[in-house]
Structures are given as C-alpha cells and as structure tokens.
C-alpha cells in the first residue's frame, strides 16, 4: 500500500485547485475543490462556503455535506454567525466551543449543535483588501485548529480567491458579476438536480450530489451542464 506524506497531499491539493484555473473554468467547480481539499487536509469534519453575489449579498455556494450547508443557510437567514462575521470584518473568526456561546449567534449555536458540530473556524476569502466570501471549517470536537492547519486553510482560500479575481476576470467589473451570477444560478440548478436524483433513485441528498459530481468528473463535464441534463430528463443517475 502506497502512503503519501501530508506535505505531498498539500501540494496535490494546490495543484488540483490551480488546475481548475483554465480557460472557461467553472467557479463552482473551483469552490467545491476548495472545500473538499480543506476537509481532506485539515482537522475539520465539514466545510461550507459563503460568497457574495454582485449585490453584496452572501449566498451558500459550496459545502461538503448537507449538514454544513444547512448551518450556513441558517446563518444567512439569521444575518449573523461566525462566517457572516468573518466576511464582514475580513478576519478569521474562531469558536473553539460552540456550546459555550450564550447570548451571541443563538440561531447559529442551535443549528450547529443540532448537526453535531462543536467548533468552527471561519476563514475569509480576500485579496488586496477585498473580501468576497468566507469558508467555515466545522469540527465535531471542541478546540481550535493548529497554527499549521490555519495557515494551510487560509492559503487554500487565498489561491481560490485569486483564481476568481484573476486579471482576466477583473478587467471589467461586469465580467466578475457574470462569473458570480453564473455560479449562483448553477447552485440553484444543482439543488434541483439533487432533488430529481434523490426522488428517482431513492437516495439521500448527499448521495444524489455524489452521483452528480462523479458523473460530471468521469465525463469531463461541469456541474451546471450535468445538472441541466438531469433536470431535462436526458440523463438519469
């Protein structure tokens, strides 16, 4: 059995993320690569990512599980929580023990605990003073991430942010807005496709997304186009 060191896995994660930055790359694929790499490499049970739309409103764009997606959505509905605070301030927010939160972010506290999370480390997605979102790393145990994990998580987020805001996409602000709006539209489409797959195949939503993502990867398609085929009933998974 071949084993790889952590350094090799970290290098592979950065290569995977940067490899998505090709012509006509899909922002949603990039963000999913980010959250998946973060959970794989860091001491986190799940990750969720909030990104600001063209109007500055936060939206859930990527998550590694239905649990983390639900917690992120409830943060947005409440208008408060560590990830929302991280986006607003542009600085990391650490909650070592979610259960100890009293009188602060009550909606987030209840939602996170109900999903089995006990800690969270929110990392800003920022570059050159501009913050475009935040990634939440959720733990099932109390305690903070190690300094090494924090550094790796922030570096992964920084690379992804640079990818979104790289030179060829920020020459005109309209291009950035188009990229982000497409990602938002894709997310809606993917949620619909997950529902179709779950209903027709009799599986849960996480398995439905797994099938969708696996097919897209195996056939070199992006998630948006694959989801559209599922919804149009030209593809059954």
């Amino acid at each position: 059995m071949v084993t790889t060191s952590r350094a090799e896995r970290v290098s592979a994660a950065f290569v995977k993320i940067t490899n998505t930055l090709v012509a006509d790359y899909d922002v949603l694929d990039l963000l999913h690569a980010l959250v998946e790499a973060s959970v794989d490499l860091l001491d986190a049970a799940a990750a969720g990512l909030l990104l600001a739309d063209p109007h500055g409103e936060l939206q859930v764009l990527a998550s590694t599980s239905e649990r983390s997606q639900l917690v992120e959505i409830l943060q947005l509905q409440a208008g408060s929580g560590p990830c929302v605070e991280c986006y607003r301030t542009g600085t990391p927010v650490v909650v070592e023990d979610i259960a100890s939160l009293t009188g602060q972010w009550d909606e987030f506290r209840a939602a996170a605990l109900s999903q089995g999370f006990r800690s969270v480390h929110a990392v800003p997605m920022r570059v050159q003073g501009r913050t475009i979102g935040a990634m939440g790393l959720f733990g099932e145990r109390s305690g903070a991430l190690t300094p090494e994990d924090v550094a790796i998580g922030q570096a992964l987020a920084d690379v992804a942010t640079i990818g979104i805001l790289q030179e060829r996409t920020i020459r005109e602000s309209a291009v950035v807005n188009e990229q982000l709006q497409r990602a938002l539209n894709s997310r809606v489409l993917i949620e619909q496709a997950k529902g179709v797959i779950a209903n027709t195949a009799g599986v849960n939503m996480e398995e439905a997304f797994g099938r969708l993502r696996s097919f897209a990867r195996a056939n070199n398609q992006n998630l948006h186009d694959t989801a559209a085929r599922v919804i149009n009933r030209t593809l059954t998974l």
Side-chain angles (χ1 to χ4, degrees):
M1 179 178 178
V2 179
T3 59
T4 58
S5 67
R6 191 180 195 216
E8 290 173 322
R9 290 168 56 220
V10 170
S11 296
F14 279 104
V15 169
K16 180 179 179 181
I17 290 176
T18 55
N19 278 346
T20 65
L21 304 179
V22 296
D24 299 322
Y25 75 92
D26 188 275
V27 171
L28 206 59
D29 284 335
L30 171 63
L31 299 181
H32 276 290
L34 169 62
V35 294
E36 289 174 354
S38 297
V39 169
D40 179 56
L41 292 170
L42 311 178
D43 186 20
L49 192 144
L50 304 179
L51 199 68
D53 66 15
H55 306 291
E57 297 294 328
L58 287 174
Q59 306 284 344
V60 180
L61 262 294
S63 59
T64 57
S65 71
E66 293 296 317
R67 292 190 301 154
S68 56
Q69 178 173 320
L70 175 62
V71 175
E72 296 286 34
I73 289 173
L74 291 176
Q75 278 192 79
L76 294 184
Q77 291 177 343
S80 63
C83 295
V84 174
E85 183 72 11
C86 178
Y87 167 71
R88 288 174 177 167
T89 63
T91 58
V93 175
V94 181
V95 180
E96 295 187 25
D97 184 5
I98 294 173
S100 68
L101 290 173
T102 54
Q104 181 185 25
W105 304 330
D106 290 335
E107 294 88 346
F108 163 79
R109 177 182 182 277
L113 292 176
S114 73
Q115 298 303 310
F117 298 128
R118 296 295 179 268
S119 60
V120 62
H121 191 112
V123 176
M125 296 187 68
R126 64 191 178 198
V127 64
Q128 295 181 344
R130 179 179 180 183
T131 304
I132 65 171
M135 177 171 63
L137 301 169
F138 298 93
E140 293 178 340
R141 302 184 305 274
S142 299
L145 294 177
T146 66
E148 181 182 16
D149 277 2
V150 172
I152 292 172
Q154 187 64 69
L156 288 168
D158 289 346
V159 169
T161 305
I162 292 169
I164 295 172
L165 300 178
Q166 63 180 311
E167 179 63 24
R168 69 180 180 82
T169 63
I170 60 175
R171 292 173 186 167
E172 298 291 341
S173 61
V175 176
V176 176
N177 290 343
E178 182 181 347
Q179 285 268 24
L180 297 181
Q181 190 60 56
R182 174 177 170 78
L184 292 170
N185 293 340
S186 294
R187 185 67 196 177
V188 172
L189 203 66
I190 287 167
E191 289 300 316
Q192 293 174 344
K194 283 164 57 178
V196 171
I197 296 169
N199 183 60
T200 57
V203 297
N204 62 35
M205 295 293 275
E206 288 191 34
E207 171 64 20
F209 180 70
R211 294 188 180 192
L212 187 71
R213 188 83 190 278
S214 295
F215 183 90
R217 285 177 168 173
N219 292 274
N220 198 29
Q221 295 181 0
N222 62 48
L223 286 168
H224 181 279
D225 293 343
T226 304
R229 290 182 59 193
V230 170
I231 293 171
N232 294 334
R233 302 301 197 275
T234 59
L235 173 65
T236 301
L237 298 177

